[in-house]
Amino acid sequence: MSEARRPRRRRAHVVVWSLVALGLVAIAVLGIAGYRLVDGTMTVKAHLEDARTQLGAFQLAASEQRFSELPNLASALRSSTEAAVAPTTDGLWRLGEQVPWVGANLHAVRTIAEGGESVSREIVSPAAGLLSGFALHRDPATGGFDLASLREASDLAATAATVLDEVSERVDAIDADALMPQVRDAVEELAPPLAEARAAVPPLRAGLAGVGRLLGVDGPQTVALVFLNNAETAALGGGPAAQTILHVEDGRVSPVAQLSSGEFPRGIPLDVTVDESANVLYDDILTQHINGAASRPDFPTTAKILTAQLQRTAGITPDTIVSIDPIALSKMLAVTGPVALPDGTALTAENVVSELLNQAYFRYPEGSQSDAYFAAAASAIFDRIMSADYDLWAMADAITAAANQGSIMLWSADAATEKLLDGLRIQGTLPTSNEPETVLGIYFRDRSSSKIDYYLHTDTTVTTNACTPDAPSYTVETHLRFDIPEDLELPDYVDSGLFDFYRTEVFLYGPVGGTITAAETPQVGVDSTVGPGVTDLGRPAQKFVVDLVNGQDAVVTATFAGTPDAGPYGPTAVRTTPMINPTTVTMVEASCG
């Protein structure tokens, strides 16, 4: 019996020792694998830290326009990101991603590394090449611009949008709760720069699309370049005093007509439909007088009216409309330098606002004379800007700054281009929600048939009461005053052509989805009245009519209440009419309890 059992015991011992040996081998393999994974993770970490440093150097060089340095910086960045990705392509790494807890961390590290490599390869490297050689060259024979760089930039911007969205989607899908602290911190540190990069792409694409429309990159276009007169205020800046009509095609830009506001009939209804709320607030001047076209703080409305006006009067249907005012021109002339005019004067960054919006009326008191002067000024400024003989990047900064204060706006009949403008200030629209900011509006319109607003001073205090966070209230108090030198004799064209006082309409807009709870005129001047309050552009809008003589003060106030359905409510921000004397805005937070 015992003899018979010995073979089985030996076999059992063999099995046991085999299992022990296999376990020892497994432990050794796992140890080696663990070591390789730890080593690989440290390698990835080191290369990603190098990449972060190199990306910072690239961004600094780009912001300082040291474009010749960008290719080398991009090459170093790409080497680091590729080196960071390399360990994550190992089969052992992918196997490790299946291990509970450890796998989530390995997957997160790979996601970060691959995202960095995608950005480096598909965005940073091409951008380095583009920026180091970007230019808008003109053909001396035709005067047209070479659009190759512009097309390349537009394609790259579209690629950047796609890549950043994909990387962001992958990073957002990481389960941060499953990560060890060091990896979780790395993921969280990636979120802000990624969000910042994504936010920078839409305005870039919009700007490139706008330039493309102005240069006919996609074929023949009719462009209306509209000059707004801030001395005769309207919500978006002023009346459209002059219009330059351009034919653009494949980089060639040719002026084909110059029109002034006096050439358009008044009081004759247009074949155009606007919201009834706009008719109530802005009456028939909005559509029956070209100077009223910019009355509503919504440039698409202005573009619709201007298109109908140009069709009726000149048989012109614009594909693109761009508005610009002398406040924007002052920023642009700071880049181009002075522009000489036929009458011997020079327009500079320092004097263009006063020359175009005030002094010209003293030198040329007749409407026909001033119209001729403005046409000559527009032509000279246009020629100087089209020369492209200046720092293009400084000009881009100047145009961006002007657009962000509402002094340059663009509308396109092309739906795809218009969609690229959505949510950007250059579109000339108010936000459609109260996130990320709760935007209020303060707008003015001259009703004196004058150019008196060169002397109008305004300021506003906005008090936000967020003691009930899901239904905050906003009180807007706006003060108006004319300061005209007592010894100054105003030309008839500047002074009121209708009254022995100056009439200004004030339009206060509350938050999206809000209501008007109060409207008052605490200080009336000659007279101040509360006009209609309606819902316009998805917001409560309150109108006031203020009559003043020189040196008088008037104050109007409106209070708006938010509603829970229209929240959440971001921090309060204010937009105003671009004024010659900018509206001073004071923000106040109401105390609670």
Side-chain angles (χ1 to χ4, degrees), residues 204-216:
L204 174 62
R205 295 188 70 188
L208 291 169
V211 174
R213 299 291 288 183
L214 295 179
L215 295 179

Side-chain angles (χ1 to χ4, degrees), residues 332-373:
M332 298 169 72
L333 291 181
V335 178
T336 67
V339 172
L341 300 185
D343 67 355
T345 61
L347 296 178
T348 68
E350 292 73 28
N351 73 8
V352 65
V353 173
S354 61
E355 283 291 324
L356 294 183
L357 298 182
N358 186 252
Q359 295 302 305
Y361 298 119
F362 286 83
R363 290 200 305 275
Y364 307 109
E366 296 295 326
S368 59
Q369 294 175 321
S370 61
D371 284 348
Y373 171 78

